[in-house]
Amino acid sequence: MGKGFYISKSVGVVAIILGAGALATIIALSVVYSQEKAKNNDNVLPTDGGSTKPPVTTPAPSNNPWDKYRLPKSLVPEIYHVTLWPRLTPDQETKLYIFSGNSTVEFKCVEETDLILIHSNKLNYTTLENNHLARLTSVNGDKAPSITKSWLQPVTQYLVLQLDGKLTKDQHYQLFTEFTGELADDLGGFYRSEYWENGEQKVVATTQMQPTDARKAFPCFDEPAMKAIFHITLIHDAGTVALSNGAEIESMSTGHGLQTTVFEPTPKMSTYLLAFIVSDFGYINNTIDDVSVRIFARKPAIAARQGDYALNITGPILKFFEKYYSSKYPLPKSDQIALPDFNAGAMENWGLITYRETALLYDEEFSSNSNKQRIATIIAHELAHMWFGNLVTLRWWNDLWLNEGFASYVEYLGAHDAEPEWNVKDLIVLSDVHRVFAIDALASSHPLSSKEEDIQKPAQISELFDAISYSKGASVLRMLSDFLTEEVFTLGLQTYLEEFAFKNTVYTDLWKHLQLAVTANGTKLPDTVHNIMNTWVLQMGFPVVTINTTTGVASQEHFLLDPESEVTTPSVFNYQWIVPIKWMKTEIIQTPEWLTEKSATFGKMKVSGDDWVLANLNVVGYYRVNYDMDNWKKLVSALSTNHEAIPVINRAQLVDDAFNLARAKIIPTVLALDTTKYLSKEREYMPWESAVGNLDFFYLMFDRSEVYGPMQDYLRKQVTPLFLYYKSMTDSWTKVPNGHMDQYNQVNAISLACRTGLLECQNLAMGWFKQWMDTGNNTIHPNLRSTVYCNSIAAGGAAEWEFAWSAFKNATIAIEADKLRYALACTKQPWLLNRYLEYTLMPHMIRKQDATSTIVYIANNVIGQSLAWDFVRARWSYIFSEYGGGSFSFSNLINGVTERFSTEFEIQQLRQFKEDNAEVGFGSGTLAVDQSIERTIANMKWIAENKDTVLTWFDDQNKAWY
């Protein structure tokens, strides 16, 4: 639909101007660059690790429009012409990397006004001939009002222009600006990424606009509803490659060692989806039904064929989504590029998707099957956005959950279509549903959809990029698709995309289209889609559904990990949900039911004798399930006698629900532990992964106490049969299991066996690692490298650590570097961990994008936990200024370093940390601080109530074996 559709006469005009006047443009921009150097005192300082500036104090609130964070509704942009020139070498005097450029935005006045507000952040403007920072003209030739005052408003990030008269309603105007900015290494806006190739440092100029950083690249109306057409031109060093959202129209030499590349105008789109990149990268390509697909990366990576897998699956996934959405891919090209420095996993820029190297590049010599799955699901996630998010965009960030939740759901469908033998669709239960349950069961959680007026500042917007938006969003949309049926769900989705193409929506627009599909199909529901789904979207948390099989009564209540925590967030639904229940009775699937009230009686759920009830089949519903004690005992017995009578996903569910119901004091902890007794017979990945994940909580709570030894003994006994099973399957570890899930579970077997001290496992891992150290030949299979590296470094000393550090620094593929970066945190030597912590704040040692996750890896180590916490507290101001603000991983840092907290001393430290840094702030990690305090209190209570019982249970199980 968008192919060639928006090419207008203005494209031709721009091309002519650039052809004739490129040299003049370059000279003009060079003048701007000179001005930039002259006023260096006004620059954003380079991130040199020196002293930080005092925090900017926010002035007292005012009613002035420029003190409000949202744009007025008076002006609507229609077309931008943006020319940018990034410098890939630093200025000799200032040592700054900069970019310069100019922009003309054509906008329509929809309400009379004498004020222009346009977003701008960290840009320096050239004072034009009118002695102001911008020039305003009327498109129809009439005289436009003159600018009387122009200034920058840093707090709300505006360029403000006051006029001597009002702009006329329905008239079109153009605003011209000329500016420079720093091409910093801050991973936001127009920034630089650096890497080494054949001993030479290379620089990439690249972008990350979402959510509010397009304004760091050029002045723009930087809100998702302010869609416009963008004409991008890049001036760049001859021999480098320039890319943007549109296809290249022409690239011409303009002398002085420079080239000018002009791109096709974009479709009508939001600013946060813009991208422009200048690099020395190579690429591979093919064409799928007239769509050009290209994979860009560092030239050695392309030469090593690390982009081949991504290229091979992009076409099939695009075709899958065209069919799923019943809509042609809207653009003529799909470029995907792997960047050495990138904060998120990937970004769905329309037509030019950016990735971390680990999310796009695959090499079977170094990449595990989990790396391969991550690449497939992330590509599917980003391609899903090409329609849902890019073609049709949510009006404001408060509905981010629908954009990201939807892509997080259908990424599994796209990856399944590309790799049908993996059964990857099942893994959403572990990766998303169970993952987000842990956060959404806190009283400090938040609803999926926020009120628009509550999300104003950039930091508030960044805070929404959390597990609730992604994983809960995915989980409730999967539930919706399931109870509607995929046929009805996709029908509503298709008409939604058709009606709102190139426009903006609110989440209820999707509900309306799904309801139309329900009505057309004659689907029977207990209420409207709107009313059912609002119970899941407008209130935080989720229910635990309790089924009493002696009476047939099913009831629901708000599930809280700490039942004594105070819920201060009100709910219009009184924390009651409209719950779809898929269930079975003793292996026979029953007719689904709906729980629409606090409680209801379902006669068929009343059972006797040996019959049992199992609800929430395949965990398609976003809720936990509890039963009367008799039914729990029957289910535990079924696991012990014939575990395959229970579907594999539900075996994982029983373990996860039991452990979390126990933490919430709904069932005894020993009952949860009883669900693990059958594991010595279990060979499937999902139940084992569920058990290992839940027992990780026991490790966090008890690895500093006397419970640790007996727990290790019990788990070693349980995992040994699995370890021997894979030893046999792989012919003494010489082969790779065939199935995707078996490859995953082999990793679980080795990891837990080594962790619990099984000598055969530890000798195996250390033998492989020593062989690598001795010969320089790494024969460890990529699937096993993370766990083998970690266990060998943990068991070893400085020699093993230094060897791994050297391998990390010399790794030629980021996927291998990531495995080593994780394993380096496994050492038991405090001095090495402290050194590693220092490295995290040295970008030449650990890339900025990896700093927060590396600190969390160290905190996950029982030896490193207190070291990491002390480090974060001592360096908070610096970490926040360099890595905080809009960083999506910031909440992960705070949650990660406090995850083990479970003592009075630690809760006092955490509260003191919050108080001490109130002025500095926590940015996108603000909510995580409160969640950490709440979680620590819950942990303290849980240990006090369960430690003795758990110790006795492990002792009793161990005695039974002897």
Side-chain angles (χ1 to χ4, degrees):
M1 188 185 310
K3 186 179 178 185
F5 189 74
Y6 284 98
I7 293 179
S8 63
K9 62 180 181 182
S10 52
V11 182
V13 173
V14 171
I16 292 164
I17 290 169
L18 278 164
L23 184 58
T25 305
I26 293 161
I27 292 167
L29 292 177
S30 298
V31 171
V32 176
Y33 187 26
S34 302
Q35 292 170 340
E36 169 75 17
K37 289 194 290 183
K39 56 180 185 182
N40 187 37
N41 291 339
D42 297 329
N43 283 326
V44 179
L45 290 174
T47 51
D48 59 2
S51 59
T52 57
K53 289 190 241 179
V56 178
T57 53
T58 306
S62 80
N63 278 323
N64 292 321
W66 51 81
D67 287 328
K68 299 183 191 309
Y69 284 89
R70 292 296 302 275
L71 286 166
K73 304 266 192 280
S74 46
L75 309 176
V76 176
E78 294 187 345
I79 301 171
Y80 290 82
H81 292 273
V82 180
T83 299
L84 292 166
W85 177 16
R87 317 299 201 281
L88 301 188
T89 53
D91 176 66
Q92 292 301 307
E93 293 174 31
T94 67
K95 307 302 181 194
L96 288 175
Y97 288 84
I98 71 152
F99 64 90
S100 51
N102 61 58
S103 169
T104 299
V105 55
E106 182 175 319
F107 60 85
K108 181 181 179 181
C109 174
V110 293
E111 293 173 9
E112 281 195 348
T113 180
D114 58 2
L115 181 73
I116 296 174
L117 295 182
I118 188 166
H119 283 114
S120 174
N121 186 25
K122 297 186 179 178
L123 295 175
N124 293 313
Y125 288 84
T126 303
T127 302
L128 301 177
E129 68 282 351
N130 60 359
N131 291 319
H132 289 290
L133 305 181
R135 180 169 62 240
L136 180 69
T137 55
S138 172
V139 171
N140 66 6
D142 291 349
K143 188 175 185 307
S146 297
I147 298 169
T148 58
K149 193 176 178 187
S150 58
W151 74 94
L152 294 169
Q153 197 72 7
V155 174
T156 46
Q157 302 179 350
Y158 287 129
L159 167 62
V160 186
L161 306 170
Q162 285 188 325
L163 310 177
D164 68 354
K166 290 195 181 291
L167 298 172
T168 307
K169 187 173 184 294
D170 295 330
Q171 285 278 47
H172 289 75
Y173 298 88
Q174 288 186 336
L175 188 71
F176 173 83
T177 51
E178 207 168 71
F179 48 86
T180 59
E182 187 188 355
L183 197 69
D185 62 350
D186 58 0
L187 309 180
F190 204 10
Y191 73 92
R192 79 177 185 276
S193 172
E194 299 173 356
Y195 64 99
W196 289 86
E197 190 176 291
N198 301 325
E200 179 187 354
Q201 188 181 41
K202 303 261 186 171
V203 175
V204 180
T206 185
T207 53
Q208 169 59 33
M209 306 307 200
Q210 191 184 41
T212 59
D213 279 336
R215 63 192 69 174
K216 278 183 70 185
F218 66 101
C220 54
F221 297 92
D222 198 12
E223 293 188 359
M226 295 288 191
K227 288 191 169 186
I229 296 164
F230 295 85
H231 298 257
I232 304 295
T233 298
L234 292 176
I235 299 168
H236 54 106
D237 295 344
T240 56
V241 177
L243 300 171
S244 190
N245 305 80
E248 179 185 306
I249 295 176
E250 63 174 331
S251 189
M252 51 202 168
S253 171
T254 46
H256 298 268
L258 294 171
Q259 223 172 313
T260 297
T261 301
V262 185
F263 300 92
E264 283 185 0
T266 68
K268 191 177 181 184
M269 60 181 273
S270 303
T271 49
Y272 79 85
L273 295 168
L274 281 167
F276 18 90
I277 301 173
V278 174
S279 74
D280 187 32
F281 284 2
Y283 73 93
I284 51 176
N285 68 292
N286 63 20
T287 302
I288 309 286
D289 291 350
D290 298 327
V291 175
S292 166
V293 177
R294 299 187 293 182
I295 308 294
F296 286 84
R298 293 174 293 106
K299 285 176 180 173
I302 293 295
R305 306 191 64 178
Q306 292 169 8
D308 288 12
Y309 179 66
L311 185 68
N312 292 338
I313 64 169
T314 294
I317 293 173
L318 268 179
K319 297 307 294 177
F320 167 77
F321 281 123
E322 284 190 335
K323 185 178 174 185
Y324 187 76
Y325 294 127
S326 188
S327 170
K328 285 279 296 172
Y329 176 68
L331 301 175
K333 75 172 176 86
S334 176
D335 288 341
Q336 300 181 91
I337 185 165
L339 296 164
D341 298 284
F342 192 72
N343 196 37
M347 178 62 212
E348 67 268 20
N349 314 301
W350 218 3
L352 178 53
I353 305 172
T354 44
Y355 294 82
R356 276 192 181 212
E357 289 193 338
T358 53
L360 192 67
L361 302 181
Y362 174 80
D363 186 326
E364 64 180 16
E365 186 183 338
F366 298 102
S367 305
S368 66
N369 67 321
S370 65
N371 298 141
K372 194 174 190 179
Q373 182 191 307
R374 181 172 185 244
I375 290 166
T377 51
I378 290 183
I379 288 174
H381 180 108
E382 304 311 326
L383 293 178
H385 275 310
M386 299 300 106
W387 291 264
F388 201 101
N390 297 9
L391 180 66
V392 178
T393 310
L394 277 307
R395 189 176 71 196
W396 185 242
W397 298 107
N398 61 310
D399 283 337
L400 172 79
W401 73 269
L402 183 55
N403 190 27
E404 293 301 348
F406 182 85
S408 298
Y409 164 48
V410 299
E411 70 182 47
Y412 290 95
L413 309 187
H416 175 74
D417 192 76
E419 299 281 4
E421 293 178 2
W422 288 356
N423 289 326
V424 71
K425 285 196 286 190
D426 294 348
L427 295 179
I428 191 173
V429 173
L430 298 175
S431 302
D432 289 279
V433 184
H434 286 172
R435 169 185 176 232
V436 76
F437 271 167
I439 295 160
D440 209 20
L442 299 175
S444 54
S445 186
H446 63 88
L448 277 171
S449 191
S450 312
K451 291 178 182 172
E452 191 169 340
E453 60 270 21
D454 290 343
I455 308 299
Q456 299 279 316
K457 302 176 183 178
Q460 291 170 328
I461 295 166
S462 292
E463 206 171 355
L464 293 174
F465 288 80
D466 66 358
I468 298 291
S469 293
Y470 283 74
S471 295
K472 182 176 181 177
S475 303
V476 300
L477 289 167
R478 172 174 172 259
M479 175 175 68
L480 172 61
S481 176
D482 183 78
F483 71 69
L484 291 182
T485 72
E486 187 169 308
E487 180 191 354
V488 173
F489 183 76
T490 52
L491 178 62
L493 183 61
Q494 289 161 7
T495 59
Y496 166 83
L497 291 170
E498 192 179 344
E499 179 179 346
F500 294 107
F502 306 105
K503 296 175 188 169
N504 294 82
T505 61
V506 292
Y507 80 91
T508 51
D509 291 321
L510 179 59
W511 293 173
K512 287 173 195 164
H513 279 266
L514 291 173
Q515 187 61 49
L516 289 170
V518 164
T519 305
N521 196 64
T523 306
K524 294 282 186 287
L525 295 176
D527 208 327
T528 63
V529 171
H530 186 278
N531 290 345
I532 293 169
M533 291 309 295
N534 278 357
T535 68
W536 300 95
V537 168
L538 297 181
Q539 59 184 349
M540 70 178 189
F542 57 90
V544 52
V545 172
T546 299
I547 297 171
N548 187 328
T549 61
T550 60
T551 63
V553 172
S555 59
Q556 60 166 298
E557 65 177 292
H558 183 191
F559 180 79
L560 292 166
L561 269 181
D562 178 4
E564 293 166 30
S565 59
E566 187 185 352
V567 177
T568 56
T569 308
S571 164
V572 292
F573 303 103
N574 257 341
Y575 290 103
Q576 200 169 297
W577 290 263
I578 299 176
V579 186
I581 303 177
K582 285 194 164 179
W583 64 293
M584 66 163 39
K585 185 191 294 186
T586 321
E587 297 189 61
I588 298 168
I589 293 173
Q590 306 291 313
T591 306
E593 302 284 0
W594 285 89
L595 182 59
T596 59
E597 304 293 335
K598 179 83 173 164
S599 69
T601 301
F602 301 103
K604 288 185 179 178
M605 291 185 183
K606 187 175 176 180
V607 297
S608 58
D610 293 333
D611 283 345
W612 44 260
V613 166
L614 178 73
N616 200 10
L617 291 184
N618 294 324
V619 194
V620 290
Y622 185 70
Y623 55 92
R624 294 200 182 278
V625 186
N626 181 35
Y627 306 96
D628 58 282
M629 191 54 64
D630 195 41
N631 196 66
W632 267 116
K633 286 177 180 173
K634 289 177 189 174
L635 288 169
V636 170
S637 174
L639 287 174
S640 296
T641 56
N642 179 23
H643 61 272
E644 290 180 352
I646 295 171
V648 64
I649 297 177
N650 288 96
R651 302 204 295 273
Q653 172 217 15
L654 283 172
V655 172
D656 196 68
D657 278 358
F659 273 91
N660 283 278
L661 291 167
R663 283 180 67 183
K665 301 185 206 171
I666 293 170
I667 64 171
T669 298
V670 292
L671 176 56
L673 288 166
D674 285 344
T675 66
T676 69
K677 291 201 290 191
Y678 93 100
L679 284 173
S680 57
K681 303 173 194 170
E682 181 64 84
R683 301 293 175 263
E684 293 286 348
Y685 167 68
M686 290 187 69
W688 263 107
E689 182 66 15
S690 180
V692 168
N694 280 287
L695 289 164
D696 271 345
F697 174 72
F698 278 61
Y699 273 107
L700 289 170
M701 294 302 100
F702 294 133
D703 62 6
R704 299 177 286 179
S705 81
E706 67 272 30
V707 178
Y708 180 69
M711 179 170 73
Q712 287 279 82
D713 292 342
Y714 170 74
L715 292 174
R716 185 168 58 254
K717 288 282 188 184
Q718 291 296 78
V719 78
T720 298
L722 189 70
F723 178 82
L724 296 175
Y725 171 76
Y726 282 107
K727 179 183 178 182
S728 171
M729 178 191 281
T730 60
D731 206 358
S732 291
W733 317 107
T734 59
K735 298 174 184 170
V736 180
N738 288 328
H740 188 66
M741 299 291 188
D742 266 327
Q743 289 180 40
Y744 277 168
N745 215 23
Q746 181 195 22
V747 176
N748 270 339
I750 292 176
S751 181
L752 189 59
C754 284
R755 182 182 191 175
T756 54
L758 184 66
L759 205 56
E760 183 181 348
C761 180
Q762 292 179 332
N763 290 339
L764 180 74
M766 291 167 66
W768 281 335
F769 195 83
K770 186 175 187 305
Q771 183 185 22
W772 180 27
M773 288 179 70
D774 291 346
T775 66
N777 181 26
N778 188 351
T779 59
I780 306 163
H781 191 275
N783 287 353
L784 308 179
R785 286 187 180 182
S786 285
T787 189
V788 169
Y789 293 172
C790 178
N791 281 288
S792 301
I793 289 168
E800 286 77 8
W801 198 93
E802 294 290 1
F803 176 80
W805 175 256
S806 175
F808 167 73
K809 293 303 288 180
N810 293 314
T812 57
I813 182 167
I815 274 172
E816 175 71 0
D818 263 17
K819 292 179 176 66
L820 289 158
R821 184 169 60 84
Y822 157 75
L824 286 161
C826 298
T827 180
K828 303 299 182 191
Q829 307 293 323
W831 68 275
L832 287 171
L833 291 170
N834 273 323
R835 184 167 78 178
Y836 199 23
L837 281 165
E838 293 294 336
Y839 287 175
T840 63
L841 298 187
M842 300 177 186
H844 62 287
M845 294 290 206
I846 299 291
R847 289 186 181 276
K848 276 193 168 187
Q849 65 178 20
D850 297 324
T852 54
S853 61
T854 306
I855 295 169
V856 171
Y857 290 153
I858 295 166
N860 288 342
N861 179 340
V862 65
I863 308 292
Q865 192 274 317
S866 59
L867 305 176
W869 172 235
D870 289 346
F871 180 79
V872 167
R873 283 189 299 159
R875 309 295 180 86
W876 182 255
S877 181
Y878 178 79
I879 293 172
F880 183 71
S881 65
E882 292 297 305
Y883 298 85
S887 169
F888 297 162
S889 57
F890 225 63
S891 59
N892 293 344
L893 174 64
I894 292 167
N895 279 318
V897 296
T898 61
E899 194 176 19
R900 199 180 255 101
F901 281 14
S902 56
T903 66
E904 183 63 40
F905 181 60
E906 285 164 336
I907 192 71
Q908 286 173 4
Q909 285 188 323
L910 193 46
R911 286 173 171 147
Q912 191 66 49
F913 172 68
K914 181 181 178 181
E915 187 181 318
D916 291 347
N917 294 286
E919 274 196 36
V920 176
F922 303 97
S924 60
T926 303
L927 186 58
V929 177
D930 291 331
Q931 288 171 339
S932 297
I933 290 170
E934 185 184 349
R935 187 176 57 244
T936 304
I937 293 167
N939 289 347
M940 289 164 60
K941 290 178 185 172
W942 187 86
I943 287 176
E945 291 161 6
N946 289 283
K947 183 178 172 184
D948 294 343
T949 314
V950 168
L951 180 58
T952 301
W953 189 90
F954 281 127
D955 280 340
D956 289 347
Q957 299 308 310
N958 294 333
K959 282 175 195 164
W961 276 314
Y962 295 109

